[in-house]
Amino acid sequence: MWYAVSAPNCCISYPRRPCSPRFLIKCSGPTSFRVQASLPENDNGAKVEYTPWLIVGLGNPGNKYHGTRHNIGFEMIDSIAKTQGVVMNTIQSKALVGIGSIGEVPILLAKPQAYMNYSGESVGPLAAYYQVPLRHILLVYDEMSLPNGVLRIQPKGGHGYHNGVKSVMGHLDGCREFPRLCIGIGNPPGTMDMKAYLLQRFSTVERHQIDAALDQGVEAVRTLVLNGFDQSITSFNLRQKYKYHKV
């Protein structure tokens, strides 16, 4: 069950302003709004509250792009939604969204529908509306610098010339201090055009690797949401780095 509560003296700042460690937080009146999970009272009679996570997969809308390398972020969101029983049936801020939870932690899953290069037009407003701090915005996208099917979770980073990530950073005032789950798709072979490669579907072997990576990614996201960046995330990244190395 979800409910809205007043959060005195705290709300998300939007539209844009210079990036700072306190991005998304400013003083305000007592009528601010946020989404929380409704939990039983603890031993002290107080309700336990969790900060929600906004998990965004990057991709392009439409059947034309379904199953392509550049849409792997959408596939990860679909996998999380299926595992957690989240129904993706609402359009908000130019994104297909669904609300649910991982354990007792509330999550908002989102697939921006304004095409890859404009993904930030969804992420910025959604983060503002649901009062999600930067540290709880998880961006999921394809990464050519990683071998196909290899995953990496980072607490922050640059855009790496990824136009979708660049758009998101632009709508978060240039801030880069948000987590990301990168899904390796490898580099184009030979002299193949990069755009053509990104919009190409996976081979049979690559598809098997991606399907396995999606399952592993779901578990990694669950760990991150429940425990944060602890030692298990470090171990996950190390296992992923050497997953194709034979000993």
Side-chain angles (χ1 to χ4, degrees):
M1 179 179 179
W2 292 68
Y3 69 104
V5 299
S6 294
N9 303 319
C10 183
C11 73
I12 290 182
S13 173
Y14 199 84
R16 296 155 59 87
R17 63 186 179 84
C19 180
S20 72
R22 291 185 177 272
F23 174 78
L24 298 182
I25 302 294
K26 73 173 185 178
C27 292
S28 182
T31 59
S32 59
F33 178 85
R34 64 179 176 177
V35 175
Q36 297 175 321
S38 177
L39 303 177
E41 295 182 352
N42 62 18
D43 294 338
N44 297 322
K47 285 186 178 296
V48 180
E49 298 179 356
Y50 292 96
T51 302
W53 279 79
L54 171 59
I55 305 174
V56 183
L58 301 188
N60 290 305
N63 292 332
K64 175 182 178 181
Y65 302 102
H66 180 72
T68 60
R69 302 177 196 276
H70 217 23
N71 267 42
I72 193 63
F74 276 13
E75 290 195 47
M76 182 60 76
I77 294 299
D78 290 339
S79 295
I80 297 171
K82 181 178 180 181
T83 302
Q84 300 303 132
V86 178
V87 179
M88 305 285 292
N89 62 354
T90 303
I91 295 293
Q92 182 180 354
S93 300
K94 302 180 184 179
L96 181 63
V97 303
I99 292 177
S101 65
I102 292 178
E104 301 295 351
V105 182
I107 60 171
L108 177 73
L109 303 180
K111 295 161 64 175
Q113 301 293 295
Y115 290 95
M116 180 70 77
N117 294 0
Y118 306 99
S119 300
E121 295 180 6
S122 297
V123 179
L126 285 172
Y129 184 85
Y130 288 102
Q131 304 257 326
V132 182
L134 279 175
R135 70 182 187 279
H136 277 218
I137 300 174
L138 176 63
L139 204 62
V140 186
Y141 57 91
D142 55 290
E143 177 57 70
M144 289 196 300
S145 68
L146 293 174
N148 189 74
V150 172
L151 308 177
R152 183 174 63 204
I153 298 180
Q154 297 174 296
K156 61 181 179 179
H159 55 70
Y161 302 102
H162 191 295
N163 288 332
V165 181
K166 187 184 298 185
S167 173
V168 171
M169 289 177 62
H171 284 77
L172 296 176
D173 295 332
C175 293
R176 50 181 284 166
E177 293 80 11
F178 56 87
R180 59 278 309 279
L181 169 58
C182 304
I183 306 174
I185 60 170
N187 282 301
T191 59
M192 184 177 184
D193 178 70
M194 183 178 69
K195 182 177 179 181
Y197 179 73
L198 290 173
L199 300 181
Q200 183 186 62
R201 288 174 170 79
F202 297 99
S203 68
T204 301
V205 172
E206 290 171 334
R207 185 71 252 179
H208 287 316
Q209 293 173 335
I210 289 296
D211 288 343
L214 292 174
D215 291 338
Q216 295 160 10
V218 169
E219 290 306 310
V221 170
R222 285 180 53 84
T223 299
L224 177 63
V225 168
L226 294 174
N227 303 321
F229 279 94
D230 62 3
Q231 182 58 40
S232 60
I233 295 298
T234 302
S235 299
F236 170 81
N237 285 333
L238 189 61
R239 290 195 304 273
Q240 287 292 313
K241 182 177 181 179
Y242 296 107
K243 68 192 293 185
Y244 294 143
H245 290 239
K246 295 182 179 180
V247 179

